[in-house]
Amino acid sequence: MLLSGTLQRCRLSASTVPRQPRPSVARRALREETPEQKRERQLRESARVEERITYIQNADHFKREIEAAGKKLVVVEAQAEGVCMTGLDEEPELHWKGDKEAALRPCENIKHTFVRTARECQDVVFLSLQADDEEVADLCDELGIEVIPTLQFWRNGAKIWEHKGIMNMDQDLGEGVLFFNGSAAGGVQAGDFVTELHSEEEMQAFIASQSDSVLTVVDICLSDAAPCIRVYPAVLALARSFKGYAAFGRVVADQSDAGRELLRDYNVVEVPTFLFFKNGREVDRHVGSSRGDLIGKIMEVQSRFGVAPPPPPGGAQPRRTIQRRVTRKARA
């Protein structure tokens, strides 16, 4: 009886609440996009993104764009319809054996990746060379482009790095933009987590500014070394994860005389080399581009010097706290 009475009161209470009139189906439809409207909006958005990419017409056009970019990073994409080379020394005969459409699909995909990267990285200049055009093909020859597709990275009027062929091109596109420009997806700026250092004086000042409870890690790298470029996303990820527990700096040693001198002074013969400092002195180093090995080395050095590691992700609660919650729930 009590249960039925409670249900009755719930029904009465609900019936006394005035209901808001629902919009008609027609009105709701007006608020929603039709497929045609959605397609038009997507085309407008794509057009705005395409404006971020300059399609080069000839050598003079390319030189003007490079000069106008100045100190900005410039990413140059060279591509052609119906051509998708791997960049391997022995190029597979992809275009006349097997499924040609499947063979060309990776190069179609990289075009979309290039567009998305241009949309994300507003402070980078993106140029596209369509090698099907005769004048642009001549420019590709002038730039030493022998493999389609190719990515080139330019700054201050000079080429600073190049990736040939579709193999790992999407990965190297993102890693190159991050390494040379410090821009990551979602508006993340590497400089907020990894301090750029240009000389031993700057490095020593950076080390001295850290508290005794923090391990200092300095990445010594070169701008033309692929392992340095490819490990940098991991360095950034670690710097974010270990913030407050380890401080990360980076020296791109071939960009200045002071950087090259630092290489000699610290006897760095392979890159990337990671120097570990505690209380102002070097206590260890790690050579190599393996993220797992780098994490292991950081944890090892932290443990050796009693530096607290960062808490595990997810904020897991201690078992005792969980047990207390279960006990309280049972008593209730």
Side-chain angles (χ1 to χ4, degrees), residues 83-263:
V83 181
C84 190
M85 303 170 71
T86 64
L88 301 175
D89 291 336
E90 295 184 5
E91 189 70 31
E93 298 177 351
L94 295 177
H95 307 302
W96 54 87
K97 288 186 178 180
D99 187 346
K100 182 177 180 180
E101 183 179 349
L104 295 175
R105 191 172 298 125
C107 285
E108 290 298 322
N109 292 338
I110 196 63
K111 295 177 185 178
H112 301 303
T113 304
F114 194 72
V115 169
R116 287 198 305 271
T117 307
R119 180 180 60 212
E120 289 280 349
C121 304
Q122 297 288 320
D123 55 345
V124 178
V125 176
F126 291 85
L127 307 180
S128 182
L129 308 181
Q130 305 294 316
D132 309 274
D133 180 88
E134 186 173 347
E135 286 191 80
V136 177
D138 291 340
L139 172 60
C140 289
D141 291 339
E142 184 180 330
L143 297 177
I145 295 173
E146 299 176 346
V147 176
I148 297 294
T150 283
L151 288 176
Q152 291 186 345
F153 294 77
W154 290 65
R155 177 173 276 145
N156 294 322
K159 184 178 70 175
I160 55 178
W161 194 50
E162 182 177 59
H163 175 99
K164 299 179 180 180
I166 194 61
M167 301 289 288
N168 299 320
M169 178 171 277
D170 55 345
Q171 178 180 329
D172 278 4
L173 172 58
E175 291 172 352
V177 171
L178 177 60
F179 183 89
F180 292 111
N181 200 65
S183 303
V188 173
Q189 293 298 313
D192 294 337
F193 304 94
V194 181
T195 301
E196 293 292 337
L197 308 168
H198 305 92
S199 65
E200 183 172 3
E201 290 75 18
E202 289 186 8
M203 187 176 77
Q204 290 298 334
F206 173 68
I207 294 167
S209 68
Q210 308 306 321
S211 69
D212 293 342
S213 62
V214 170
L215 178 69
T216 305
V217 183
V218 179
D219 173 14
I220 309 294
C221 58
L222 299 176
S223 64
D224 60 351
C228 296
I229 295 169
R230 289 173 180 151
V231 77
Y232 192 57
V235 174
L236 174 58
L238 290 171
R240 297 178 69 183
S241 300
F242 281 79
K243 190 171 184 179
Y245 299 86
F248 284 75
R250 179 176 76 154
V251 179
V252 185
D254 58 339
Q255 292 189 338
S256 67
D257 291 338
R260 285 183 279 271
E261 185 177 346
L262 190 146
L263 281 178

Side-chain angles (χ1 to χ4, degrees), residues 18-83:
R19 293 184 178 180
Q20 297 295 327
R22 292 185 178 181
S24 66
V25 174
R27 287 182 178 177
R28 291 203 305 272
L30 287 174
R31 298 176 185 174
E32 298 175 356
E33 288 182 317
T34 65
E36 293 77 12
Q37 290 171 332
K38 183 177 181 180
R39 176 62 178 165
E40 289 177 2
R41 177 177 56 79
Q42 290 174 337
L43 288 173
R44 288 195 301 270
E45 291 174 353
S46 297
R48 285 196 295 270
V49 173
E50 287 287 339
E51 291 175 0
R52 294 275 303 118
I53 302 173
T54 300
Y55 291 87
I56 298 300
Q57 306 300 318
N58 50 47
D60 289 338
H61 186 196
F62 178 78
K63 291 173 183 176
R64 289 197 303 271
E65 293 294 333
I66 291 293
E67 290 174 1
K71 295 182 179 180
K72 286 186 176 182
L73 178 67
V74 181
V75 182
V76 181
E77 168 203 43
Q79 58 168 291
E81 293 296 329
V83 181

Side-chain angles (χ1 to χ4, degrees), residues 322-332:
I322 296 173
Q323 289 175 341
R324 286 177 178 173
R325 287 171 54 193
V326 172
T327 303
R328 286 199 299 268
K329 186 175 181 180
R331 288 175 179 173

